[in-house]
Amino acid sequence: MRFVRPPLLVLAVVAAVLLPATPAAALPFPVTSTADDETKGTLRSSIKEANANSGPDTIPIEVTGTIDLQSPLQIIFDPVSIIGPHADLLEVHRADSAAFPVFAFSATDPSAVSGLTISNGRAIASGGFVIGGGIRNSEGSLTLTGVVVKDSEAAGEGGTNVFVEGGGIFSEGPLTLRETVVAGNAARASNATSLTAAFGGGVAALGNLTVEASTISGNVTEASGDGSTVTAQGGGVLAGTAATVSRSTISGNAVIAGGAAPQVRAQGGGIQTYEATLTSSTLARNSATSAGLALAANLYSALSTTVRGTLVADPLDGADSCGGGAPGSDEIASGGFNLDEDDSCGFAESSDLVGVVAGLDPVLKDNGGPTPTHALLAGSSAAIDRGYSFGSSVDQRGLARPSDFPAIGNTEGGDGSDIGAFELQVPPTPDRGSAVIVSQRPTDKFPPNTRILSGPPRVTFKTRAKFRFASTEGQSRFQCKLDKKRWKGCRNPYKRSVKPGKHLFKVRAIDRFGNVDPTPARFGWRVKPIVG
């Protein structure tokens, strides 16, 4: 079943404001106090003053610390730029006294927020539509630069239908994220009698979306219930129209769908797109789990998405990395120079690498720059120097791209950039400033390591088993062994039908120099008999 989105909820704005007969001049309304009251110099007061002054205004925040909101701020219906000192220095936080989003925008002209943290927003209702736990934005464009949106939630329960969108950010108008972190947010829907639907645990963008040098991590989209349909889509991001993602990391997000409904579906653990372009980005360690269908742990394309220079790796909890499925759609197309560990994205350009381990640090952390990243490990050769910069001179951290290791051969047509959001830098030697070489030895005597990326459930009734696996070295071939049979060359993925009982699958990689992995990867599982 293909889910069709119902009509969008239009943000209601109720405000009585006397506007001057002619537009007033743009003015700054500085915040000089962290107090949560309406005295001059507070955030609450400055927003009211900016709303009353027609035309674009600025709200420079000149204090540090935490602004604890006990009640909702006024909806921002006149364009404004809110300028904080830095996300590490100023936090706007919803206190636990009531449920409300931290900021709500309803200006038709562009607004912007920079240099602050937005946390603990809540949007909670019974049935119907629930949108924007941390930030709500109506039809105007909104740009976030150097912002952290974290620990916010949109949740809805019960009713005939419940639709929940944007645990961290909901935007109906164009949305731009630059050097921004969206982390630890959730969109949760439960227990509608008909349709239970949750979208965009981190971001639900229904207008055009631009993501640059940003990290979207640890967000959850969850739906559960026993009605007719349960669907959870876009754990990190739901991009509802056109989207452009570049030099960014989408990591550790999840979609979860549960319950006893006839149709239960989870898709797009990292990001769900419609018409999008992903460039020089890293999608890793996202997951999709479901009591029914679980599709695309890292990337789900509902219509047409082009991926280039991007690393897609380490899908968690059993679902393939990629998937898609609107009738007649192009789904996912390769723009070249991608790496797909489990070979589920359909990348078929000669410059693409599929079925190889990326060599990615599994820990998302501060590797320099404004947002956390997954580093490429220095000993890995798969993604290093095998990409193309696509016109960018820096990676997600703002460090030089390409940084080309002389001893590593570039992919034909490439420029020595690394694949993904992170560019491993060539360090200078102490004496001459020349490059330290990460070498792939032409007379390599080091065996590869083999890893099983996905397999059947550990206990299952299904007799058909499917395994995906990868090697730490490109251009490897594989040998497989099932139960007591002999080692035999095999294709990736490996598919076999087995009888009820316990089974053991082994696979080992053989690199292009003939070195055999001495410690094959193993996977044991049990097929239960069906008792009639």
Side-chain angles (χ1 to χ4, degrees):
M1 171 184 176
R2 184 187 175 195
F3 175 72
V4 179
R5 179 183 297 279
L8 302 178
L9 176 66
V10 178
L11 295 174
V13 179
V14 180
V17 182
L18 295 176
L19 295 178
T22 56
L27 294 173
F29 298 97
V31 175
T32 57
S33 169
T34 59
D36 181 37
D37 55 39
E38 295 188 7
T39 59
K40 190 171 182 62
T42 65
L43 177 61
R44 195 175 294 278
S45 172
S46 293
I47 288 174
K48 285 188 175 183
E49 289 180 297
N51 274 337
N53 187 64
S54 180
D57 295 303
T58 62
I59 299 179
I61 301 177
E62 300 172 358
V63 292
T64 60
T66 300
I67 300 174
D68 248 337
L69 301 176
Q70 301 294 329
S71 61
L73 295 168
Q74 189 178 87
I75 294 171
I76 298 169
F77 51 83
D78 214 38
V80 68
S81 293
I82 301 173
I83 306 165
H86 192 279
D88 291 341
L89 300 177
L90 190 282
E91 182 170 346
V92 184
H93 176 88
R94 179 197 67 90
D96 292 329
S97 54
F100 53 86
V102 176
F103 287 109
F105 295 85
S106 190
T108 55
D109 292 324
S111 289
V113 181
S114 63
L116 54 82
T117 291
I118 296 164
S119 67
N120 202 41
R122 291 290 185 275
I124 298 175
S126 298
F129 288 87
V130 186
I131 58 173
I135 298 174
R136 294 179 185 174
N137 180 53
S138 187
E139 71 265 32
S141 67
L142 177 64
T143 299
L144 306 182
T145 303
V147 171
V148 174
V149 181
K150 68 176 186 176
D151 302 335
S152 295
E153 180 184 29
E157 181 177 7
T160 303
N161 299 307
V162 59
F163 306 91
V164 178
E165 302 189 69
I169 304 168
F170 171 88
S171 184
E172 191 175 351
L175 175 67
T176 298
L177 307 179
R178 291 195 180 100
E179 298 182 356
T180 286
V181 175
V182 181
N185 306 286
R188 293 189 171 97
S190 60
N191 299 326
T193 57
S194 181
L195 175 60
T196 301
F199 309 95
V203 180
L206 306 187
N208 291 352
L209 173 67
T210 301
V211 181
E212 298 174 357
S214 295
T215 295
I216 298 169
S217 65
N219 304 286
V220 177
T221 299
E222 185 173 7
S224 62
D226 301 334
S228 61
T229 301
V230 171
T231 182
Q233 302 178 22
V237 181
L238 177 84
T241 52
T244 301
V245 179
S246 61
R247 298 187 296 116
S248 293
T249 296
I250 301 175
S251 169
N253 305 284
V255 284
I256 303 168
Q263 298 189 59
V264 180
R265 185 183 182 104
Q267 60 191 47
I271 181 171
Q272 175 165 312
T273 62
Y274 285 78
E275 294 179 299
T277 300
L278 276 61
T279 304
S280 301
S281 294
T282 296
L283 281 61
R285 301 186 67 78
N286 300 289
S287 64
T289 58
S290 173
L293 287 175
L295 304 172
N298 284 316
L299 167 64
Y300 186 93
S301 174
L303 188 59
S304 178
T305 295
T306 298
V307 183
R308 55 186 195 168
T310 290
L311 190 155
V312 186
D314 204 5
L316 303 182
D317 294 340
D320 289 346
S321 267
C322 295
S329 73
D330 295 328
E331 296 181 3
I332 299 171
S334 172
F337 302 96
N338 300 297
L339 189 153
D340 172 17
E341 276 194 346
D342 78 348
D343 192 14
S344 65
C345 300
F347 299 149
E349 294 296 318
S350 60
S351 57
D352 293 327
L353 294 171
V354 297
V356 297
V357 174
L360 202 65
D361 185 343
V363 180
L364 184 69
K365 60 187 177 183
D366 181 2
N367 292 301
T371 51
T373 52
H374 285 288
L376 287 171
L377 301 175
S380 171
S381 59
I384 298 171
D385 287 4
R386 301 304 174 88
Y388 185 72
S389 61
F390 293 99
S392 176
S393 61
V394 294
D395 69 355
Q396 179 174 338
R397 302 170 296 161
L399 299 184
R401 166 168 281 174
S403 182
D404 195 358
F405 288 84
I408 298 179
N410 297 343
T411 298
E412 184 177 357
D415 61 5
S417 294
D418 298 344
I419 300 174
F422 181 96
E423 183 81 10
L424 186 65
Q425 301 295 300
V426 178
T429 57
D431 50 346
R432 296 181 302 167
S434 60
V436 173
I437 307 302
V438 175
S439 177
Q440 274 190 305
R441 299 171 179 82
T443 56
D444 185 4
K445 296 181 180 180
F446 296 89
N449 289 318
T450 315
R451 185 167 132 212
I452 295 174
L453 302 175
S454 64
R458 294 289 182 175
V459 179
T460 181
F461 289 101
K462 294 182 179 180
T463 58
R464 185 71 170 170
K466 177 181 176 181
F467 294 91
R468 292 186 185 274
F469 36 85
S471 168
T472 52
E473 295 189 24
Q475 304 179 40
S476 292
R477 56 190 175 91
F478 297 95
Q479 290 181 340
C480 296
K481 176 180 172 65
L482 182 60
D483 298 330
K484 296 182 179 180
K485 295 181 179 180
R486 295 182 178 181
W487 287 103
K488 188 176 181 181
C490 58
R491 294 185 177 183
N492 187 7
Y494 177 90
K495 303 176 184 178
R496 286 294 184 275
S497 293
V498 296
K499 295 179 180 180
K502 292 182 179 180
H503 298 281
L504 179 63
F505 170 74
K506 298 180 182 180
V507 58
R508 63 189 183 189
I510 304 174
D511 68 18
R512 58 192 174 121
F513 302 105
N515 300 304
V516 180
D517 183 357
T519 57
R522 302 159 58 94
F523 187 100
W525 82 107
R526 182 165 65 94
V527 178
K528 299 175 69 174
I530 299 175
V531 179

